[in-house]
Structure formats: structure tokens, C-alpha cells
Amino acid sequence: MDERIRQDHRLPEAEALERLRRFQPDPAASRRITEVALDLAKQVRASRPAALSAESFLRHYGLSTQEGVALMCVAEALLRIPDPDTADALLREKLSAGQWGKGGGAEGEGSWAASAADWALMLTGRLARWREAEEEPVAQLKRLAARLGEPVVRTAVRQAMRILASQFVIGETIEEAVTRGRAFDGYRFSYDMLGEAARTAEDAARYFEAYVKAIRGTPAGDGVSVKLSALHPRFEEAKRARVFAELLPRVAQLARIGVDCAVGLTIDAEESERLELTLDLFEELSRKHPLGLAVQAYQKRALSVCDWLVGLRRRISVRLVKGAYWDGEIKRAQQLGMPDYPVFTRKAATDVSYVACARRLLSAPATLYPAFATHNCRTVATILELAGERPFEFQKLFGMGDSLYEVLLRTRPLACRIYAPVGSFTDLLPYLVRRLLENGANTSFVHQIADPAVPLETLVADPVEALPEPYSPDPRIPLPRDLYPDRLNSLGVDLARRDTLDSLEGQIRAERNQEPLGEVESTTPQELDFSIARAMAAFEGWTRMPASERAAALERAAETMEQRLPSLVSLIVREGGRTYADAVSEVREAADFCRYYAAKARETFQEPLVLAGPAGERNQLSLHGRGVFACIAPWNFPLAIFTGQIAAALAAGNAVIAKPAEQTPRIGFRAVEILHQAGIPADVLCCVVGDGEAVGAPLVADPRIAGVAFTGSDETARRINVALAARPGPIATLIAETGGVNAMIVDASALPEQVVDDVVVSAFQSAGQRCSAQRILFVDEGCAQRVMRLLAGALAELKVGDPAEADTDVGPIIDAPARQALLRHVERLRAGARLIGEAKAPASGNYVAPVAFELALEALPKVEVFGPILHVCAYRRQDLGKVLQWIRATGYGLTLGIHSRIQGFVDSVVREARVGNVYVNRSMIGAVVGVQPFGGEGLSGTGPKAGGPHYLFRFAIERTLTVNTAAVGGVTELLTRPLN
Ligand code: NAD
């Protein structure tokens, strides 16, 4: 692959755009294009889309309406829900609001069943048009619904859902698809075996068979689109070697079958993080096999990809699309703290990029055969202008753009292909909903052409005219770095790039060989005593320093951590046994803590708070450090938690004696060194090392220690609490963050694939050695079998091993005693519970293979098992109360996950939960500083939450100052009032 493509990935947007300008049509051509586009648009707007087409659905129920959103929610979930109660709960919730049918069919009825019936009728095609419901059948069905009750309506809506699905999916099998396709005279097809990406080897094998069948069943001349992530459960950059060894031969085999059947194969475009891998595979495969490739114009590197394709000088058909994962790309870049986005933030920029790419692809007619996938009149007109006599085709989605292509094909002899999804409605609806969201978004052409309020002239205007001069990105989408108003977001590195992975791997290997981790000597009692004395002496000066100066030092430390990210990552991998992904998020979190507490200190510690009161008096409240704080951290977040505790204590004006865990002293030293270099005086912050008995216990027992910030096990927290209570002198502050027995509750409306993705992350990332890690999965028995099967398959895909290798998913257990305890627990489970699935661990080394067991509620562990062991319990819907009660009875309250499509279910669980951090429809680990302030209640900790707005106050004392300003000669502010 071309180096240029790599470089352009996250180019500043203005720069990426400038390059596209010279590929735009000149003013005269642009005017001609506008004319043609306007003419097309007029005809399209005047035409009526077929009554039951996807397009008419979108026109009438745009996603900006309550009904449209409700429909999407129902469509996404209904068909997969196994039990009637959950299905009814979903329908009741989603359909009770909104105005269905003509003039709001269900208005006044107030019953979800009535609106569902109304809606089902419309969809089942008994009515000619979406909106123009005749009263009679609606009323009839409503009466029927009232008489026969919810089951009838549920069946009707299920049926309606299938009809809706059939507007977007051409057939459930390839035979059905081809038969239905025959009705579309003049079109060619590219069948698309749509679906979720494969999570398991079994999924991948099933998709492979589906592709083989599809290719064999497709008429010669038509094509099949291939989604690589469906053919391999780990289609990721980090797994490159595996992907080349396993996926490449599979695609090659499909390509050969394609040649035999005269069916062209096109590799579909996916998330930007898979592009480099896709292109390298494509380069290899297209040497021997005729293959097509999809290119997404919304990526900043789209033009470079086109250049590269031209340079390959091979016969390739290229499908140019705008791109279907835009929102996901933006979100991911923000979450990963990327320096910039892989995609344009403005829709018009994507349109401009599309034109540039089109021109480039059209420039090599001897080798490239471009296909332009669009439903946009302006884009179509532009292609017509640019292409001239050169060969190309248009592509449209099945069910979309019908009116446009009808108009177009009526007047011009053009080649057009329909991109047609094939597959089971149940599997495809969730997937299609996201396509719909993309095409139905307010900015989309399909949506706007249906809206008479949008003037056609605006709609078909040259996208260049819509760009600001000079170009700037959409101000509503700040760069990931600028996400927060009061501080910088931490900078991440892109672990989906080969060059990043290679350089980290190289560094870790070199450091491992050059400087093996030597012994670290424990701090002696004399040294400890001396350090505390020194800190005591330094405290006053530090707390009197303006908060902004303390904050500035912390911000410098954050900066340094980011600059030294690779070496910190290397140390965390080597000493802490963390994987790359974990180690990178450690460094980011540490930097975030520094900046967050710096910002909070500026906000609340810098100036005293002036309080309201009577005339003649000034009242103010100020915050100060408490004294010398002991910060005691666990090994499992050796940099982030350690730094977070210290940064908070320092920001609030305390001196600090910091003790990293005995397993990870070097990371602790390194963090303190960085803080010193950033300007924290050596006597204000001192690092002591050693185990809990020898160093931790005497530290907290010392009466000079004003407070303790502790994170670790609840036994240790209790011991510290007792030690503090036994000391003479002032009562010390204790902030303790401890463990949890964290559960996720999944109902029958959840999407099993999403559930399993999130469970694997929550339970097994960091080998389950996170306080937030999921220990228990409660899953509704209606979907339990499917979830467990997927889980078993996903477990088999995990690579357990040396974290220094970039493709490792799960690293070692921190030490031998911890491993032994976990293995004993697994043995007990093997004897008394059903094994669901397990990963393989290397024979030697300190590993425990991730594993999942099924247990009854009564058999679940009520204590924290700190490793990659998941306990799964299938529950009956009516037993949800018992489940919640069980969770409460553990006494812990750290994290809780919920997966459901039913808001009512989510609300009821949240209401009952007594836990610090609840996560809905996502993983339950990875709290972000300032975004998800973190910490539990009950046995899980004292609070306040780390990375939250109330944390610093616990590190401070408050003093008020009241001055009688009337003491010298009266209440001046009253006496000097202006006369009126
Ligand atoms: P741990 O309790 O064994 O040790 C934590 C720290 O306390 C270490 O630095 C240790 O040396 C020190 N220590 C031990 N005995 C002491 C004593 N008597 N006096 C003073 N200090 C003493 O915990 P760990 O094994 O390092 O960490 C894992 C535990 O931490 C798990 O239970 C996990 O859930 C919990 N944890 C909680 C959070 C949270 O935010 N709630 C975050 C990470 C880890």
C-alpha cells in the first residue's frame, strides 16, 4: 500500500480539502451540471415513489419524527425477541407515543394496541399509501385488537416488520433474491450478503458458505459484495498475520468460484481502522484474481486510495460510495483521543471529495471500471458531465433512489446496478436500520428531496459553494483534543495502524533485552520517617502557593506523559503485564487526571467563595490542603490510579507520600519523576516503595498523616480504617476505592452480538484484573442459549500470552499466588457448574485462560474473583426482582451493565440498583476522567468519585473568614448608596 495513504489518514481537514479543489469542474461545467441536476431533481420531486418502497417510508417517516424513531427501534429489535411479554413491552413503549396514520390515527385512543394496529395495517399493504389510511380498515382492526387483544396486534406488527424488511432486503435466500430481481428490467445486481461481522469461527464459516452459495446462485454478469469482517472473526490490524494466513485463502477461493460463474466480486468498505489491512489484502489478491473494491469518499485519504488504484495498473472495478459509518468514525476518534478525524466533518466536503475521486477513477479507462453509488441528483449530473464516453455504471441501493433512476434510465442509455441485500430478515433488520439512519439523516439527499421546504436550487448547488472560504471544519465537531471546554483531552495513539504497533513492539523488545527489570529496594523505616518529616515541613509553602501554579505543574506533567507515551507503555507492559491497549489507556487516563484536577483546582481553590450575608460584613470560604496525604495505589492501574490520587492531593494543596503497589514500583517511580520534572518539589511529593505490611502499614499508622487516599481490596481498606482509628491526634480522612462483584443484566430485546462484544471486553480485558470488570452475566433465558453460544465462540478467539506481542488480547495474572487462587476457583467451578467455553492459555507462564461457566443464582460467588472468570446465570423474566435483590445482597456497589432496547426495563433496573457506575448498551469498563466519574458505594468504596467534580473537596479543609466591615465607622455600603 502507498505511504501516502497512511499519511493522509488523519490529515488536518483544511489541508485534505485543498488538494481536492483542483479536481472540481470549472465554472462553465459546474453550471451545466447544475442545470441537468435541477431538471432531474424537479422530476424526482414531482414523482411519487412506489407506495411501499423504502424511499416512501423514509419520505413519510423521516428520522426527525417521533414515529420514524419509534419505527426504527421496533424494526431493530422486534423480530429477534423470543417471548411475547418482552415483545409487547417493546411495542407498548415505542408505539404509545406518536401520531400514526392520517391525522394521527391513534390519537385519542390512548392505547398502544390501537396505534400498533393502525401502523401494522399501513405496513401490511392493505392501504395504498403510507399516510392515506382509509378510516374503515383501521377502525376495523382497532376493534379487532380491542376484542382479541395484544397477541393479534403483535402478530400483525411482526408481519408488518417483515414487510418493511422486504422493502430493504431483496430476499431471504439468493434464489428468492434472483427471482425477485428479474422484475427489475434493465438493471444489473450486486448481491450483498449483509449481516453482522463474524464474532466466532462458526459465524465466519457460515458466512463463507453463504457467499459460496450466493456466488453460485447469481446469474452471470451480476456481482456479489463481500464483507471481509464477516469472513473472519478477528479482521483487525493487530491480527494481521492471522488474517493473511486464514482470510486471504478464503477470499481467493471465493474469487475463483466467482470466475467460474462469471460473477464479479467486490470487497466492501468497512470502518476506517480496517482500511490499511483491506488494501494490503486487496493488493495481494488482485494480483491473481479479478476483484472489485469499494472506496469511501468521506475518508480524507480517499483520493490517495484512488491514485493508488490507478497506479496498480490492474483491471479493477471500483465502487465509489460516500460512506456509511460517519457517525461511528467521529465517535471513535473522539474516544481514542486521535489527533484528527479520518473523515471530513462537513457533508459538502465529502461531496467534493466524491467528485475528485470520480475524476481520478475516470482517468484510467483502460484499467479501472468505476461504479458510482449515489442517490443524489447533483452527483449523478456531475458524473454524466465528467464521464463523457468513458465506461462506467451507476449503483443504487435496493429500495432507494427508484424515482431518480427511473427518470434517468428513461432518457439515457446508462448502465445501472442495484446493490441488493440478501439474508434473513431477523438478522438483517438491525443492520439495515443503520443504513437507513444514514440515508434518512437530515443531511441526506433522499431526505431533503422529499421535503418541499428545501429549494431544489439549494439541493443541487455545487458543493464547493457550500464550503467556507478559507476552509474550516464544522465547528460543531471539535477535534478530539478539544472535546472538553476547560482542558485538553489526552492524546492517544492509533493501535489500528501497523506502524504504531511495530514501533511499540520494537521498543518493548529492545528495552526488555537491554535492561531487564532489576530489584527495587524497599524503603526503610528511617527513610519513611525522614520523608514524612520533610513533607510536613514542605506542606505549608505548597498549600499557600496559588492553586493556578500547582495546576500548571500538573498540566506540564500531563504534557510530558503524552510525550513519553511509548516508553511509559513499554514499562507498563513489562512491569504490569498489561496489553498495549490497556497501557495506552493508562497513560491517557493519568494525563487526564492531571489536567482534570488542575482545572478543578483553578475553578474552586484559586479564589475564596464570597458568601451572601448581612450588610456591614464580608464572608468568605476558602479551601486549603489538609497536610500530608498518603496515596496508596494498587498494581492493576499502576500509572493511572497512582497518578490520579497524587494529582488530586497535590492540586488541593497537600504534600504527598505516595506508595505504589509492591508489584509495580518502577511505574510509580517513573510517574513521580515526571511530576518532579514538571515542577512539583521533591519534598512535597515523595515516592516510597515496599509491601503493605512493611511500608503501607507504618505509613498510615503515622499520626502525622492527615489523610489517606487508598485504592485496593476491601480487606486492606478495612485494615487501614482500623489503623487510622487507633491513632492518637486528629481523625484522619480516608478515601477508599475498593472492589466489586459486578454484574451485567441482559433482557431478551438485547442484540446478542453486541452483548457478547461488550461481555468479552468487560470480563476478560486486562485478564479481568480491573475493579470494574464484569464477574457475572445475568441473561434472560429467552436469548441465553444464543448468547452463550456466541460467548463460547468469542472466547475461543482470544489470544492469551505475552503482552509484549501486539496481537495478544489477554496478558498474564499479576503474580503466582493470585494465579493459584484463580485456578482453584476454576477447579471448583469445573466440579459444580456447566462450562460454557474457554480460551487457551500458554502452557508456561503466569496465565489463566479466560473462561465462562453457567451457574444457578444461589451458586454465584458473593466475593470478588479478580481474574478472567465469568459466571453466567440465565434468569426468567419474572425473576428479575430476585436478580436485583441478589446483587444488592452482595453488599458491593461498583459497576453494573444493562443491555436492553426497552427504556422501561433500563429505568427499572437503574431505579433498583445501588451501584456507583451504570453502563447501558456498552461495555462496563473504561470510565473516562470527568466523563464517567468513577467509584462505588457499600463495600466498594467511600466515594467521592475519582475524576469527578467533588473529589478534590475531600482532600481539603475549609476555612471561613468573616470581617465586620462596619467596625470602623458604620456600614459604608449602605451609607454611600447613590441617591434616587
Ligand atoms: P491490595 O489491597 O492488596 O493492595 C493495594 C495497596 O495497598 C498496595 O499498594 C498495598 O501495598 C497496600 N497495602 C496492603 N496492605 C496494607 C496495609 N495494611 N496498610 C497500608 N497499605 C497496605 O489490592 P491490589 O491487589 O493491589 O489491587 C486489587 C484490588 O484493588 C481489587 O480488589 C480491586 O477491585 C481493587 N481496585 C479498586 C479500584 C476502585 O477504583 N474501586 C480500582 C482498582 C483496584
Side-chain angles (χ1 to χ4, degrees), residues 337-362:
M338 289 293 107
D340 210 322
Y341 296 107
V343 294
F344 292 103
T345 57
R346 289 180 191 270
K347 174 70 169 55
T350 293
D351 290 339
V352 166
S353 167
Y354 194 96
V355 173
C357 291
R359 180 161 255 182
R360 194 70 186 102
L361 295 176
L362 285 164

PDB file of all heavy atoms in Angstrom, residues 337-362:
ATOM      1  N   GLY A 337      -8.976   9.666  21.426  1.00  0.00           N
ATOM      2  CA  GLY A 337      -8.115  10.842  21.544  1.00  0.00           C
ATOM      3  C   GLY A 337      -7.179  11.001  20.355  1.00  0.00           C
ATOM      4  O   GLY A 337      -6.014  11.349  20.492  1.00  0.00           O
ATOM      5  N   MET A 338      -7.706  10.755  19.157  1.00  0.00           N
ATOM      6  CA  MET A 338      -6.875  10.835  17.959  1.00  0.00           C
ATOM      7  C   MET A 338      -6.565  12.296  17.631  1.00  0.00           C
ATOM      8  O   MET A 338      -7.344  13.183  17.948  1.00  0.00           O
ATOM      9  CB  MET A 338      -7.606  10.181  16.783  1.00  0.00           C
ATOM     10  CG  MET A 338      -7.707   8.675  16.891  1.00  0.00           C
ATOM     11  SD  MET A 338      -6.095   7.897  16.765  1.00  0.00           S
ATOM     12  CE  MET A 338      -5.781   7.397  18.417  1.00  0.00           C
ATOM     13  N   PRO A 339      -5.429  12.539  16.985  1.00  0.00           N
ATOM     14  CA  PRO A 339      -5.088  13.938  16.671  1.00  0.00           C
ATOM     15  C   PRO A 339      -6.085  14.578  15.711  1.00  0.00           C
ATOM     16  O   PRO A 339      -6.273  15.786  15.729  1.00  0.00           O
ATOM     17  CB  PRO A 339      -3.704  13.837  16.030  1.00  0.00           C
ATOM     18  CG  PRO A 339      -3.487  12.390  15.746  1.00  0.00           C
ATOM     19  CD  PRO A 339      -4.372  11.597  16.630  1.00  0.00           C
ATOM     20  N   ASP A 340      -6.720  13.780  14.864  1.00  0.00           N
ATOM     21  CA  ASP A 340      -7.706  14.337  13.938  1.00  0.00           C
ATOM     22  C   ASP A 340      -8.626  13.207  13.478  1.00  0.00           C
ATOM     23  O   ASP A 340      -8.400  12.053  13.815  1.00  0.00           O
ATOM     24  CB  ASP A 340      -7.011  15.005  12.733  1.00  0.00           C
ATOM     25  CG  ASP A 340      -7.829  16.167  12.187  1.00  0.00           C
ATOM     26  OD1 ASP A 340      -9.080  16.040  12.161  1.00  0.00           O
ATOM     27  OD2 ASP A 340      -7.246  17.187  11.783  1.00  0.00           O
ATOM     28  N   TYR A 341      -9.640  13.576  12.706  1.00  0.00           N
ATOM     29  CA  TYR A 341     -10.605  12.574  12.249  1.00  0.00           C
ATOM     30  C   TYR A 341     -10.153  11.924  10.943  1.00  0.00           C
ATOM     31  O   TYR A 341      -9.508  12.575  10.131  1.00  0.00           O
ATOM     32  CB  TYR A 341     -11.969  13.232  12.024  1.00  0.00           C
ATOM     33  CG  TYR A 341     -12.565  13.766  13.296  1.00  0.00           C
ATOM     34  CD1 TYR A 341     -12.611  15.134  13.554  1.00  0.00           C
ATOM     35  CD2 TYR A 341     -13.068  12.894  14.258  1.00  0.00           C
ATOM     36  CE1 TYR A 341     -13.142  15.626  14.730  1.00  0.00           C
ATOM     37  CE2 TYR A 341     -13.595  13.369  15.437  1.00  0.00           C
ATOM     38  CZ  TYR A 341     -13.637  14.733  15.672  1.00  0.00           C
ATOM     39  OH  TYR A 341     -14.146  15.200  16.845  1.00  0.00           O
ATOM     40  N   PRO A 342     -10.563  10.696  10.701  1.00  0.00           N
ATOM     41  CA  PRO A 342     -10.256  10.073   9.408  1.00  0.00           C
ATOM     42  C   PRO A 342     -11.209  10.541   8.306  1.00  0.00           C
ATOM     43  O   PRO A 342     -10.950  10.323   7.141  1.00  0.00           O
ATOM     44  CB  PRO A 342     -10.453   8.578   9.680  1.00  0.00           C
ATOM     45  CG  PRO A 342     -11.384   8.494  10.826  1.00  0.00           C
ATOM     46  CD  PRO A 342     -11.187   9.737  11.649  1.00  0.00           C
ATOM     47  N   VAL A 343     -12.320  11.173   8.722  1.00  0.00           N
ATOM     48  CA  VAL A 343     -13.347  11.577   7.748  1.00  0.00           C
ATOM     49  C   VAL A 343     -13.552  13.087   7.790  1.00  0.00           C
ATOM     50  O   VAL A 343     -13.176  13.744   8.754  1.00  0.00           O
ATOM     51  CB  VAL A 343     -14.696  10.878   8.060  1.00  0.00           C
ATOM     52  CG1 VAL A 343     -14.593   9.383   7.845  1.00  0.00           C
ATOM     53  CG2 VAL A 343     -15.147  11.161   9.490  1.00  0.00           C
ATOM     54  N   PHE A 344     -14.164  13.599   6.738  1.00  0.00           N
ATOM     55  CA  PHE A 344     -14.499  15.028   6.727  1.00  0.00           C
ATOM     56  C   PHE A 344     -15.647  15.289   7.696  1.00  0.00           C
ATOM     57  O   PHE A 344     -16.530  14.445   7.860  1.00  0.00           O
ATOM     58  CB  PHE A 344     -14.918  15.454   5.323  1.00  0.00           C
ATOM     59  CG  PHE A 344     -13.782  15.410   4.338  1.00  0.00           C
ATOM     60  CD1 PHE A 344     -13.666  14.370   3.431  1.00  0.00           C
ATOM     61  CD2 PHE A 344     -12.816  16.406   4.345  1.00  0.00           C
ATOM     62  CE1 PHE A 344     -12.603  14.319   2.535  1.00  0.00           C
ATOM     63  CE2 PHE A 344     -11.757  16.370   3.446  1.00  0.00           C
ATOM     64  CZ  PHE A 344     -11.653  15.324   2.542  1.00  0.00           C
ATOM     65  N   THR A 345     -15.621  16.451   8.317  1.00  0.00           N
ATOM     66  CA  THR A 345     -16.713  16.757   9.247  1.00  0.00           C
ATOM     67  C   THR A 345     -17.899  17.384   8.516  1.00  0.00           C
ATOM     68  O   THR A 345     -18.997  17.419   9.045  1.00  0.00           O
ATOM     69  CB  THR A 345     -16.255  17.722  10.354  1.00  0.00           C
ATOM     70  OG1 THR A 345     -15.754  18.907   9.738  1.00  0.00           O
ATOM     71  CG2 THR A 345     -15.191  17.089  11.227  1.00  0.00           C
ATOM     72  N   ARG A 346     -17.663  17.937   7.325  1.00  0.00           N
ATOM     73  CA  ARG A 346     -18.772  18.553   6.587  1.00  0.00           C
ATOM     74  C   ARG A 346     -19.223  17.633   5.459  1.00  0.00           C
ATOM     75  O   ARG A 346     -18.394  17.096   4.729  1.00  0.00           O
ATOM     76  CB  ARG A 346     -18.336  19.887   5.972  1.00  0.00           C
ATOM     77  CG  ARG A 346     -18.118  20.985   6.975  1.00  0.00           C
ATOM     78  CD  ARG A 346     -17.692  22.247   6.235  1.00  0.00           C
ATOM     79  NE  ARG A 346     -17.219  23.252   7.165  1.00  0.00           N
ATOM     80  CZ  ARG A 346     -18.002  24.160   7.736  1.00  0.00           C
ATOM     81  NH1 ARG A 346     -19.292  24.205   7.454  1.00  0.00           N
ATOM     82  NH2 ARG A 346     -17.503  25.047   8.572  1.00  0.00           N
ATOM     83  N   LYS A 347     -20.547  17.553   5.327  1.00  0.00           N
ATOM     84  CA  LYS A 347     -21.106  16.727   4.264  1.00  0.00           C
ATOM     85  C   LYS A 347     -20.651  17.239   2.897  1.00  0.00           C
ATOM     86  O   LYS A 347     -20.319  16.450   2.005  1.00  0.00           O
ATOM     87  CB  LYS A 347     -22.634  16.750   4.396  1.00  0.00           C
ATOM     88  CG  LYS A 347     -23.400  16.064   3.297  1.00  0.00           C
ATOM     89  CD  LYS A 347     -23.217  14.547   3.363  1.00  0.00           C
ATOM     90  CE  LYS A 347     -24.182  13.816   2.445  1.00  0.00           C
ATOM     91  NZ  LYS A 347     -24.144  14.227   1.063  1.00  0.00           N
ATOM     92  N   ALA A 348     -20.619  18.581   2.733  1.00  0.00           N
ATOM     93  CA  ALA A 348     -20.229  19.139   1.437  1.00  0.00           C
ATOM     94  C   ALA A 348     -18.796  18.747   1.079  1.00  0.00           C
ATOM     95  O   ALA A 348     -18.478  18.551  -0.101  1.00  0.00           O
ATOM     96  CB  ALA A 348     -20.384  20.661   1.450  1.00  0.00           C
ATOM     97  N   ALA A 349     -17.936  18.621   2.077  1.00  0.00           N
ATOM     98  CA  ALA A 349     -16.550  18.233   1.808  1.00  0.00           C
ATOM     99  C   ALA A 349     -16.504  16.808   1.252  1.00  0.00           C
ATOM    100  O   ALA A 349     -15.718  16.495   0.357  1.00  0.00           O
ATOM    101  CB  ALA A 349     -15.712  18.340   3.072  1.00  0.00           C
ATOM    102  N   THR A 350     -17.367  15.962   1.788  1.00  0.00           N
ATOM    103  CA  THR A 350     -17.444  14.594   1.266  1.00  0.00           C
ATOM    104  C   THR A 350     -17.910  14.614  -0.189  1.00  0.00           C
ATOM    105  O   THR A 350     -17.381  13.891  -1.032  1.00  0.00           O
ATOM    106  CB  THR A 350     -18.401  13.755   2.137  1.00  0.00           C
ATOM    107  OG1 THR A 350     -17.813  13.597   3.423  1.00  0.00           O
ATOM    108  CG2 THR A 350     -18.648  12.386   1.528  1.00  0.00           C
ATOM    109  N   ASP A 351     -18.872  15.473  -0.490  1.00  0.00           N
ATOM    110  CA  ASP A 351     -19.344  15.566  -1.877  1.00  0.00           C
ATOM    111  C   ASP A 351     -18.230  16.044  -2.807  1.00  0.00           C
ATOM    112  O   ASP A 351     -18.091  15.556  -3.932  1.00  0.00           O
ATOM    113  CB  ASP A 351     -20.554  16.508  -1.957  1.00  0.00           C
ATOM    114  CG  ASP A 351     -21.789  15.897  -1.299  1.00  0.00           C
ATOM    115  OD1 ASP A 351     -21.841  14.653  -1.154  1.00  0.00           O
ATOM    116  OD2 ASP A 351     -22.700  16.658  -0.915  1.00  0.00           O
ATOM    117  N   VAL A 352     -17.439  16.999  -2.315  1.00  0.00           N
ATOM    118  CA  VAL A 352     -16.314  17.498  -3.112  1.00  0.00           C
ATOM    119  C   VAL A 352     -15.282  16.386  -3.310  1.00  0.00           C
ATOM    120  O   VAL A 352     -14.733  16.195  -4.399  1.00  0.00           O
ATOM    121  CB  VAL A 352     -15.701  18.739  -2.406  1.00  0.00           C
ATOM    122  CG1 VAL A 352     -14.348  19.089  -2.997  1.00  0.00           C
ATOM    123  CG2 VAL A 352     -16.660  19.914  -2.501  1.00  0.00           C
ATOM    124  N   SER A 353     -15.047  15.628  -2.245  1.00  0.00           N
ATOM    125  CA  SER A 353     -14.106  14.519  -2.334  1.00  0.00           C
ATOM    126  C   SER A 353     -14.616  13.472  -3.331  1.00  0.00           C
ATOM    127  O   SER A 353     -13.845  12.906  -4.115  1.00  0.00           O
ATOM    128  CB  SER A 353     -13.936  13.890  -0.946  1.00  0.00           C
ATOM    129  OG  SER A 353     -13.274  12.662  -1.030  1.00  0.00           O
ATOM    130  N   TYR A 354     -15.922  13.266  -3.318  1.00  0.00           N
ATOM    131  CA  TYR A 354     -16.516  12.285  -4.239  1.00  0.00           C
ATOM    132  C   TYR A 354     -16.213  12.669  -5.687  1.00  0.00           C
ATOM    133  O   TYR A 354     -15.841  11.841  -6.514  1.00  0.00           O
ATOM    134  CB  TYR A 354     -18.027  12.213  -3.993  1.00  0.00           C
ATOM    135  CG  TYR A 354     -18.705  11.019  -4.628  1.00  0.00           C
ATOM    136  CD1 TYR A 354     -18.938   9.861  -3.892  1.00  0.00           C
ATOM    137  CD2 TYR A 354     -19.093  11.040  -5.972  1.00  0.00           C
ATOM    138  CE1 TYR A 354     -19.556   8.759  -4.466  1.00  0.00           C
ATOM    139  CE2 TYR A 354     -19.713   9.940  -6.561  1.00  0.00           C
ATOM    140  CZ  TYR A 354     -19.938   8.799  -5.803  1.00  0.00           C
ATOM    141  OH  TYR A 354     -20.553   7.710  -6.366  1.00  0.00           O
ATOM    142  N   VAL A 355     -16.374  13.966  -5.966  1.00  0.00           N
ATOM    143  CA  VAL A 355     -16.136  14.438  -7.337  1.00  0.00           C
ATOM    144  C   VAL A 355     -14.674  14.228  -7.722  1.00  0.00           C
ATOM    145  O   VAL A 355     -14.358  13.740  -8.820  1.00  0.00           O
ATOM    146  CB  VAL A 355     -16.536  15.932  -7.463  1.00  0.00           C
ATOM    147  CG1 VAL A 355     -16.139  16.475  -8.826  1.00  0.00           C
ATOM    148  CG2 VAL A 355     -18.029  16.103  -7.202  1.00  0.00           C
ATOM    149  N   ALA A 356     -13.773  14.572  -6.794  1.00  0.00           N
ATOM    150  CA  ALA A 356     -12.342  14.416  -7.084  1.00  0.00           C
ATOM    151  C   ALA A 356     -12.001  12.938  -7.344  1.00  0.00           C
ATOM    152  O   ALA A 356     -11.287  12.607  -8.295  1.00  0.00           O
ATOM    153  CB  ALA A 356     -11.513  14.951  -5.922  1.00  0.00           C
ATOM    154  N   CYS A 357     -12.548  12.082  -6.492  1.00  0.00           N
ATOM    155  CA  CYS A 357     -12.270  10.648  -6.654  1.00  0.00           C
ATOM    156  C   CYS A 357     -12.845  10.138  -7.977  1.00  0.00           C
ATOM    157  O   CYS A 357     -12.209   9.355  -8.678  1.00  0.00           O
ATOM    158  CB  CYS A 357     -12.877   9.854  -5.499  1.00  0.00           C
ATOM    159  SG  CYS A 357     -12.065  10.154  -3.947  1.00  0.00           S
ATOM    160  N   ALA A 358     -14.045  10.599  -8.290  1.00  0.00           N
ATOM    161  CA  ALA A 358     -14.686  10.165  -9.530  1.00  0.00           C
ATOM    162  C   ALA A 358     -13.804  10.529 -10.728  1.00  0.00           C
ATOM    163  O   ALA A 358     -13.553   9.715 -11.618  1.00  0.00           O
ATOM    164  CB  ALA A 358     -16.052  10.824  -9.673  1.00  0.00           C
ATOM    165  N   ARG A 359     -13.315  11.751 -10.713  1.00  0.00           N
ATOM    166  CA  ARG A 359     -12.490  12.216 -11.825  1.00  0.00           C
ATOM    167  C   ARG A 359     -11.233  11.352 -11.947  1.00  0.00           C
ATOM    168  O   ARG A 359     -10.825  10.967 -13.039  1.00  0.00           O
ATOM    169  CB  ARG A 359     -12.137  13.674 -11.567  1.00  0.00           C
ATOM    170  CG  ARG A 359     -11.306  14.270 -12.613  1.00  0.00           C
ATOM    171  CD  ARG A 359     -11.383  15.764 -12.554  1.00  0.00           C
ATOM    172  NE  ARG A 359     -12.214  16.266 -13.634  1.00  0.00           N
ATOM    173  CZ  ARG A 359     -12.439  17.534 -13.856  1.00  0.00           C
ATOM    174  NH1 ARG A 359     -11.986  18.438 -13.026  1.00  0.00           N
ATOM    175  NH2 ARG A 359     -13.155  17.912 -14.871  1.00  0.00           N
ATOM    176  N   ARG A 360     -10.645  11.049 -10.811  1.00  0.00           N
ATOM    177  CA  ARG A 360      -9.418  10.256 -10.814  1.00  0.00           C
ATOM    178  C   ARG A 360      -9.712   8.849 -11.350  1.00  0.00           C
ATOM    179  O   ARG A 360      -8.956   8.306 -12.148  1.00  0.00           O
ATOM    180  CB  ARG A 360      -8.897  10.184  -9.370  1.00  0.00           C
ATOM    181  CG  ARG A 360      -7.503   9.699  -9.251  1.00  0.00           C
ATOM    182  CD  ARG A 360      -6.519  10.717  -9.795  1.00  0.00           C
ATOM    183  NE  ARG A 360      -5.166  10.176  -9.799  1.00  0.00           N
ATOM    184  CZ  ARG A 360      -4.555   9.710 -10.887  1.00  0.00           C
ATOM    185  NH1 ARG A 360      -5.167   9.729 -12.057  1.00  0.00           N
ATOM    186  NH2 ARG A 360      -3.328   9.242 -10.815  1.00  0.00           N
ATOM    187  N   LEU A 361     -10.809   8.271 -10.910  1.00  0.00           N
ATOM    188  CA  LEU A 361     -11.134   6.908 -11.341  1.00  0.00           C
ATOM    189  C   LEU A 361     -11.458   6.870 -12.834  1.00  0.00           C
ATOM    190  O   LEU A 361     -11.137   5.904 -13.533  1.00  0.00           O
ATOM    191  CB  LEU A 361     -12.321   6.357 -10.544  1.00  0.00           C
ATOM    192  CG  LEU A 361     -12.087   6.151  -9.036  1.00  0.00           C
ATOM    193  CD1 LEU A 361     -13.369   5.697  -8.338  1.00  0.00           C
ATOM    194  CD2 LEU A 361     -10.969   5.131  -8.789  1.00  0.00           C
ATOM    195  N   LEU A 362     -12.083   7.961 -13.302  1.00  0.00           N
ATOM    196  CA  LEU A 362     -12.438   8.005 -14.730  1.00  0.00           C
ATOM    197  C   LEU A 362     -11.218   8.226 -15.612  1.00  0.00           C
ATOM    198  O   LEU A 362     -11.283   8.060 -16.829  1.00  0.00           O
ATOM    199  CB  LEU A 362     -13.458   9.117 -14.967  1.00  0.00           C
ATOM    200  CG  LEU A 362     -14.894   8.822 -14.506  1.00  0.00           C
ATOM    201  CD1 LEU A 362     -15.713  10.109 -14.419  1.00  0.00           C
ATOM    202  CD2 LEU A 362     -15.568   7.815 -15.443  1.00  0.00           C
TER     203      LEU A 362
END
